[in-house]
Amino acid sequence: MLNTNHLLIIYLCATLSVACTSGKPANGTEDTLPDKERSMLYIENDRIKLGVDLSLGGAVTYLSDKANGGKNMINSYDWGRQIQMSYYSGPWPYIGPNGERPAPEWEGLGWNPIQSGDAGGNRSKIVAYEKRGNNAIFVSSIPMQWPHKSGVPGECRFECLYTLTGNVITMEATLVNQREDKKQYRACPQEMPAVYTNGPWYKLVTYLGDNPFADEPVTVIVDKNNKRGWPWVNFYTPENWAALLDDNGYGIGVFQPEVVRFNGGFHPNDSFKGHGGEKDGQTGHIAPIGKEILDHNIRLTYKTTFILGTLDDIRSFVRTNHTRPDNPVWDFSQSRNHWYYQGEISDNGFPVKEGLEVQFGKGGSLVGPETFWKASNAASLEIEGSFLTTSGTLDITVELQPVGKSDFTDWLNWSEGEFSMEDEKREKAGLYPEKQPIVKQQQIIADGVNRSYRIGLNDISDYLESMKGIKIAFSEKGNATIRSIRLTR
């Protein structure tokens, strides 16, 4: 069987170099509880109906659109599917509070609570739930550690508010950590959330380009008879959405305004595309992927929107509701704002108050979330904060990552069978080359006084086109309180 966590492990292993297991579907846990005993809670209007299963931590197991025949779109072949919350952090492996070890095939996932239940069939526990009128459901649950088969709770709480308006569902998901282990582990890719559809919704569509919200053509990544979909692929989309559509052009769009990196696909192969129900193995998949540090006591919330309808419906909603400014601004007065660290560097943990209080060694780096901006709109990078080193100065290296042709296509998440990541890279190297980072060095004062540092970018010869990333590295040991980073005209 196939499950959410098994699929993301390959992505995690590739990006974080954790211990990997086989990339083949594992034997998940089928939900054999009779339908009459299932504890479903629904909201609906004259078009859309959404249902959450209170026996599975409040995960979404039902979603239908009367404009497209009213059939359930959500796959529940095993407990790793549905629409549900899941999170990833260290250590690897995660040992339970009473010495419980994870199943060997899941050790590489580390700390991994999910909303429905664990790999051994132990269900998550609902703490509270409330139906708010006819258009909202709130659920709070104690999730289970997926890699364990003995019922190990997640040392955290999941809170989820689903709100229905017209043909749109908003999912507001909150992780409340209550871990005894206070170590700050490295940032991990997080699904925001994972979405699994039934077989009729197989066609994976998004915008791949560097001119977002200008009505440029979309790209069909997975289609009938194109041999794409499994293994999952990942892609960069500056319009922050992806959709799974059926033969009639109707389906579900997933809009995550804080994320430009998505996973998606269809399992298992071309012959299954276009048919199948909620208990069949074939499934379409979308997951917005953001990278986050999960502190032992963090409270972390994201909002993701699901739009039901045609491609025009989906894209029109996103165009109207996207909120990313032309020049990104990251304020650290209350959170990391999706920034994370590489090398010898850490901060004081959650809660973040009035800035990132970091301690760094030589080569330690701040890494910003993938995003999008035009170089022509952003002449400078501004950093506000106080820095302190023994020398009183600090050399910083600013690394800017341009959008390249490699961002105009999708890439395999792992190799399996006839599908090889390395072969694909070689085949696409000429058509979709990756651009090299642009680098600028700057010396700043490091005497512990708060200042705004303005770093000019227009004098960099290759700083000309669309950009997607920032990394800031430090030349020596020191500490800092960083209040904001922004791009300005």
Side-chain angles (χ1 to χ4, degrees):
M1 298 178 186
L2 182 72
N3 61 73
T4 304
N5 301 278
H6 177 81
L7 302 172
L8 191 62
I9 187 174
I10 307 299
Y11 182 85
L12 287 162
C13 292
T15 58
L16 299 175
S17 300
V18 300
C20 293
T21 60
S22 168
K24 296 180 180 179
N27 291 323
T29 305
E30 280 196 63
D31 185 359
T32 57
L33 197 65
D35 286 343
K36 65 181 180 180
E37 295 180 33
R38 294 169 66 90
S39 181
M40 295 294 297
L41 195 62
Y42 295 95
I43 50 176
E44 61 182 312
N45 56 26
D46 58 0
R47 177 173 170 178
I48 307 299
K49 184 175 182 179
L50 176 140
V52 305
D53 192 337
L54 299 178
S55 71
L56 296 179
V60 175
T61 59
Y62 187 93
L63 182 59
S64 65
D65 181 357
K66 290 180 182 177
N68 191 30
K71 292 184 178 180
N72 185 19
M73 303 172 67
I74 303 304
N75 190 265
S76 290
Y77 180 64
D78 63 43
W79 291 2
R81 303 205 184 176
Q82 299 84 41
I83 298 176
Q84 66 168 307
M85 299 168 64
S86 59
Y87 294 90
Y88 301 84
S89 187
W92 301 269
Y94 169 73
I95 308 301
N98 298 310
E100 303 96 335
R101 292 197 63 88
E105 64 269 28
W106 301 118
E107 284 192 351
L109 284 175
W111 186 85
N112 175 215
I114 76 165
Q115 194 169 4
S116 291
D118 69 17
N122 300 286
R123 296 166 181 264
S124 298
K125 305 296 190 297
I126 286 287
V127 174
Y129 67 91
E130 179 185 6
K131 186 176 179 182
R132 300 177 179 176
N134 293 320
N135 75 321
I137 294 173
F138 172 81
V139 292
S140 177
S141 63
I142 302 297
M144 304 301 288
Q145 289 286 347
W146 170 266
H148 292 74
K149 296 183 177 181
S150 56
V152 178
E155 288 186 290
C156 61
R157 188 173 72 252
F158 286 0
E159 297 176 353
C160 201
L161 176 65
Y162 307 98
T163 304
L164 171 60
T165 306
N167 65 323
V168 172
I169 300 101
T170 299
M171 176 182 181
E172 181 175 331
T174 299
L175 167 68
V176 183
N177 259 359
Q178 300 162 327
R179 297 187 62 179
E180 292 293 328
D181 182 357
K182 294 178 171 54
K183 182 177 178 179
Q184 185 176 99
Y185 293 99
R186 64 180 180 248
C188 290
Q190 312 292 344
E191 298 166 306
M192 300 172 65
V195 176
Y196 288 88
T197 60
N198 293 326
W201 292 274
Y202 65 90
K203 184 178 292 187
L204 179 64
V205 183
T206 192
Y207 171 72
L208 303 179
D210 63 352
N211 194 22
F213 310 113
D215 293 322
E216 289 195 344
V218 299
T219 297
V220 177
I221 295 175
V222 176
D223 205 350
K224 281 187 175 177
N225 304 315
N226 75 345
K227 298 185 72 175
R228 298 295 282 181
W230 180 261
W232 292 161
V233 297
N234 72 86
F235 49 91
Y236 168 85
T237 173
E239 290 193 348
N240 309 94
W241 66 272
L244 285 162
L245 307 177
D246 63 12
D247 288 334
N248 299 319
Y250 277 78
I252 180 171
V254 181
F255 172 46
Q256 176 32 259
E258 300 176 78
V259 167
V260 293
R261 179 67 54 183
F262 281 65
N263 282 346
F266 185 90
H267 175 84
N269 55 45
D270 283 353
S271 65
F272 289 87
K273 293 173 180 174
H275 60 90
E278 62 189 76
K279 288 299 181 180
D280 293 317
Q282 59 264 42
T283 185
H285 172 60
I286 292 174
I289 302 295
K291 210 167 184 179
E292 299 284 354
I293 297 169
L294 300 182
D295 305 89
H296 71 97
N297 60 340
I298 198 168
R299 183 180 181 92
L300 182 69
T301 298
Y302 66 79
K303 290 184 181 181
T304 297
T305 301
F306 311 117
I307 308 102
L308 273 60
T310 65
L311 181 60
D312 286 343
D313 295 333
I314 295 164
R315 209 172 183 198
S316 176
F317 178 90
V318 173
R319 187 189 309 111
T320 302
N321 290 276
H322 80 91
T323 56
R324 185 181 64 232
D326 289 341
N327 289 333
V329 175
W330 297 278
D331 176 82
F332 305 123
S333 60
Q334 295 181 323
S335 76
R336 294 186 184 95
N337 224 322
H338 312 301
W339 284 67
Y340 57 97
Y341 311 119
Q342 288 181 350
E344 188 181 342
I345 181 172
S346 61
D347 65 23
N348 287 354
F350 183 85
V352 175
K353 295 180 179 179
E354 300 182 3
L356 303 180
E357 297 184 20
V358 297
Q359 304 81 42
F360 51 85
K362 183 177 181 179
S365 301
L366 290 168
V367 184
E370 278 191 294
T371 185
F372 179 87
W373 77 92
K374 292 283 190 180
S376 57
N377 292 332
S380 301
L381 176 69
E382 290 188 359
I383 304 171
E384 182 190 353
S386 59
F387 298 82
L388 183 63
T389 63
T390 55
S391 66
T393 62
L394 179 65
D395 291 327
I396 63 174
T397 300
V398 178
E399 183 178 293
L400 306 171
Q401 180 60 55
V403 174
K405 288 187 178 180
S406 62
D407 297 303
F408 300 166
T409 186
D410 60 282
W411 299 90
L412 289 171
N413 269 356
W414 68 90
S415 299
E416 183 171 329
E418 63 181 298
F419 300 100
S420 166
M421 291 178 63
E422 295 305 315
D423 288 348
E424 180 186 59
K425 287 178 181 178
R426 285 191 293 268
E427 291 168 2
K428 288 185 174 182
L431 290 173
Y432 302 103
E434 182 177 4
K435 287 196 173 182
Q436 294 301 306
I438 297 168
V439 176
K440 181 167 184 177
Q441 292 184 324
Q442 179 90 17
Q443 187 175 84
I444 63 175
I445 300 170
D447 60 359
V449 177
N450 187 68
R451 293 181 176 87
S452 289
Y453 300 93
R454 187 179 181 93
I455 301 170
L457 304 176
N458 281 344
D459 59 347
I460 308 174
S461 59
D462 294 330
Y463 184 68
L464 299 170
E465 301 173 354
S466 302
M467 313 297 292
K468 67 174 185 177
I470 301 174
K471 179 179 177 180
I472 301 170
F474 303 116
S475 64
E476 61 181 285
K477 182 179 180 180
N479 57 69
T481 300
I482 303 171
R483 290 176 169 79
S484 67
I485 298 173
R486 65 183 65 221
L487 291 151
T488 63
R489 291 186 178 274

